[in-house]
Amino acid sequence: MSARELARKYGVVIRFTDLGEWGEHELRSEYDPALPEIRVHVRLAPELVAFAIGHELYHHREAIGEVSLLPTRAAREAAADAYARELTATEG
């Protein structure tokens, strides 16, 4: 199942928008659990979109209690990246 299909299954809206400038670090996407919504930076290279969606879907899974909240932000971000890599590897 693709990242976009999985987002639909979870009921998470994907919106492309300008996330602005973040200095030396690029903000590719962000997750808002209140909606729930994943906002993807409009300037993100197309080949990175599925990875960004997968990364934020991991955070959605945290928010709904499907995966445990890890103790540090660094651990949560690393887990989100690993999940996105696994998800996008199956997209072929």
Side-chain angles (χ1 to χ4, degrees):
M1 180 175 302
S2 75
R4 288 179 194 227
E5 291 169 331
L6 190 54
R8 272 193 295 279
K9 180 181 174 191
Y10 278 118
V12 177
V13 173
I14 299 170
R15 184 165 60 94
F16 290 84
T17 189
D18 189 338
L19 297 176
E21 298 295 327
W22 287 81
E24 64 186 65
H25 299 286
E26 177 185 36
L27 181 60
R28 296 178 178 179
S29 57
E30 61 186 7
Y31 170 67
D32 184 347
L35 298 176
E37 178 180 78
I38 294 171
R39 290 183 283 273
V40 178
H41 200 315
V42 294
R43 290 181 267 165
L44 187 62
E47 62 271 14
L48 298 177
V49 169
F51 184 89
I53 292 169
H55 177 99
E56 300 306 337
L57 280 175
Y58 180 86
H59 294 308
H60 176 69
R61 295 174 69 219
E62 290 174 321
I64 64 173
E66 193 171 291
V67 295
S68 298
L69 189 63
L70 297 173
T72 66
R73 183 177 187 273
R76 291 189 297 274
E77 293 301 313
D81 281 348
Y83 179 74
R85 274 192 298 282
E86 181 181 316
L87 183 62
T88 57
T90 63
E91 288 190 16

